Amino acid sequence: MLETLTHTLRRHPDRPAVLGTTRTGAVRTKATFGDLARLADRCTAALHARGTGRGSTVGVAIRPGPRALAVMLAVHRLGARAAVLDPGAGPDVLRARLALARPDIVLADATAQAVAGWARPLARRARLALPDLAELGPVATVGPRLPGCAPALDADVRAVPLPPPVDEDGDAVIVFTSGTTSLPRAVVHTRSSLAAGMTTVADLVRPEAGRPVLGGTFFVLVPSLASGAPVALPARSPRVLARQLRRLAPQATYLTPPQIRQVLAEGSRFSGRVWTGSAPASTDLLTRVKDAGAEEAWGVYALTELFPAAAVEQADKAAFTGEGDLVGAPLPGVVAKTGGSGELLLSGPAARDRYLGEDPDMWVATGDRARLDAGRIVLEGRHKDMVLRHAENIYPGLYEPGLHVPGVELALLVGVPAEDGDERLIAVVQPTPEADRAALRAALDGPLERMGTARPDAVLLADIPLSGRSLKPDRAATARLAARCLAGRSRG
């Protein structure tokens, strides 16, 4: 798929490729197909000149858009692998993750470097936090530089012959998921598993050349552009996004459930086929999307380890009357079964090869309880402790150790269902008997700030329920306790 994209970029250099929007929703071209090809060639030459090739790891801290896509194309051509950095994960988590990935070079745009430097006070307000990137390895700037930025990636690059593309399989991308700051966990996709996933998306969405697609993920950009369809990056403001949808009239749209709820609240209309994932998509939400003009409304079941795995259209989901959440039949090539505890296990060409530092395993343990109903996957709850908020996976084990400041006896992060179908993240902290509660709340400010986008919606000081012969903290009971406390607050 990436090879097909490269050919498409060169075949239609003047066509709009990546689209943005003004505040009025008007369409503007951020990059043409030719622009992307030139950016990718320049990144390829610059990385090649620095010795990047098969076996190399490139850290990527670049906002989604033309430059990030060009870097991924360059890394792929050279046979290297990209380790994706999330500025919202917090500095301690990022240090641990990059210590595991050990990048040979870190590529960052000016914004990411500013977050780690002079703009740190401003970035904290947006819940972004990065350590000094230079701690993670050699750093180079992609795109315009600001004061204090590392040297430009292509500062010394002249017109040089590009190396031939690597055409053998190997590691393609590292995406961090769960674990702790001391034992981070990361998914490793190979070039073949990445290609299989993007082919599945292309077959599912069927983008037509020349007609815009709205969505900002790598799995939207690559198949759409490879098919000759321009891709519009969604506006961050719900009001502007609603205007963008109206002016653009995309053939296909991919937004997360929180984004869809927000634009529906703005009275947005949809066109073509609408896809949503990264968080549960209820029948009611998909029905509202179709009522707002969409020809089809699809919920996509996907994991970092296997994207996508299953999909269901609103009509089929609405017709399902059984217990549980119908997420659809496994997509072509995906094999599903349940383990002894009812956990859903998945396999297929698009499945991750392994977790970083571990042996390959053909089966992906999803952490979800499920059953198979006439070959369709029906979810029955989650095995994992993961909390899903605003379409973001938050793993409590990453952040709970940081809450154990002096005066804290126990601390848990739990999810509490919100009225809109999302979850609220609540920190339940049990003080020691002698702790001063006001001083303890003040002491927690620092660790909470360092949690970035995983910062909890509320902090409760309460005794944490224990269970079992070993009296371990009971997460389920703690979540119920947090729900009762929040309900009491709202009534008060």
Side-chain angles (χ1 to χ4, degrees), residues 443-464:
L444 287 168
D445 285 345
L448 292 171
E449 184 178 80
R450 297 178 68 83
M451 290 173 66
T453 53
R455 182 169 183 148
D457 299 292
V459 178
L460 302 177
L461 300 186
D463 289 340
I464 291 175

Side-chain angles (χ1 to χ4, degrees), residues 34-35 60 84 127 198 254 262 291 386 396 459 480 484:
D35 292 334
V60 181
V84 181
R127 294 188 176 182
M198 289 185 289
Y254 181 87
Q262 290 169 347
D291 289 345
M386 180 190 77
V459 178
R480 292 193 293 269
R484 290 195 300 272

Side-chain angles (χ1 to χ4, degrees), residues 134-159:
E135 298 177 9
L136 308 178
V139 181
T141 301
V142 175
R145 297 176 65 247
L146 292 175
C149 282
L153 172 65
D154 56 0
D156 301 320
V157 174
R158 302 292 181 265

Side-chain angles (χ1 to χ4, degrees), residues 28-352:
R28 64 185 183 90
T29 300
K30 295 174 72 73
T32 65
F33 279 70
D35 292 334
L36 285 175
R38 288 186 288 274
L39 276 170
D41 285 350
R42 196 154 183 84
C43 289
T44 301
L47 286 170
H48 180 61
R50 291 171 177 261
T52 302
R54 279 174 286 188
S56 299
T57 300
V58 179
V60 181
I62 305 172
R63 290 167 296 171
R67 294 189 188 94
L69 180 57
V71 165
M72 296 300 287
L73 288 173
V75 171
H76 185 268
R77 176 174 182 140
L78 294 168
R81 65 182 183 181
V84 181
L85 307 184
D86 175 15
D92 298 335
V93 171
L94 279 173
R95 284 192 186 95
R97 289 176 172 179
L98 270 298
L100 178 62
R102 294 173 22 183
D104 300 282
I105 186 171
V106 175
L107 304 185
D109 56 22
T111 300
Q113 294 179 70
V115 166
W118 61 269
R120 186 177 283 116
L122 296 175
R124 279 198 291 264
R125 299 177 190 173
R127 294 188 176 182
L128 296 175
L130 280 172
D132 182 353
L133 291 176
E135 298 177 9
L136 308 178
V139 181
T141 301
V142 175
R145 297 176 65 247
L146 292 175
C149 282
L153 172 65
D154 56 0
D156 301 320
V157 174
R158 302 292 181 265
V160 295
L162 296 176
V166 172
D167 61 1
E168 62 188 48
D169 203 6
D171 290 354
V173 65
I174 300 171
V175 184
F176 288 92
T177 56
S178 58
T180 65
T181 53
S182 58
L183 291 171
R185 204 174 198 203
V187 168
V188 180
H189 275 284
T190 62
R191 295 159 67 93
S192 58
S193 69
L194 204 60
M198 289 185 289
T199 298
T200 301
V201 171
D203 292 342
L204 192 63
V205 179
R206 308 182 307 279
E208 298 177 15
R211 298 181 58 199
V213 172
L214 179 73
T217 70
F218 189 69
F219 276 90
V220 170
L221 280 163
V222 172
S224 300
L225 291 173
S227 300
V231 178
L233 304 179
R236 294 183 182 181
S237 161
R239 183 168 298 176
V240 176
L241 178 54
R243 295 169 183 160
Q244 183 183 21
L245 282 163
R246 183 175 64 252
R247 298 281 289 269
L248 192 68
Q251 61 168 312
T253 297
Y254 181 87
L255 297 171
T256 64
Q259 287 175 308
I260 289 179
R261 286 192 288 267
Q262 290 169 347
V263 295
L264 285 172
E266 296 290 339
S268 179
R269 301 290 296 174
F270 289 99
S271 61
R273 299 183 301 279
V274 177
W275 308 81
T276 188
S278 302
S282 65
T283 301
D284 176 70
L285 183 64
L286 296 181
T287 301
R288 290 172 63 198
V289 169
K290 288 185 81 168
D291 289 345
E295 297 170 12
E296 300 174 4
W298 290 82
V300 179
Y301 178 61
L303 305 92
T304 306
E305 292 88 344
L306 200 165
F307 187 103
V312 62
E313 209 278 324
Q314 179 270 344
D316 290 334
K317 196 172 179 88
F320 179 70
T321 57
E323 294 184 353
D325 181 21
L326 174 68
V327 295
L331 293 169
V334 177
V335 179
K337 68 177 184 179
T338 55
S341 62
E343 182 177 12
L344 178 64
L345 304 176
L346 299 173
S347 186
R352 56 95 184 96

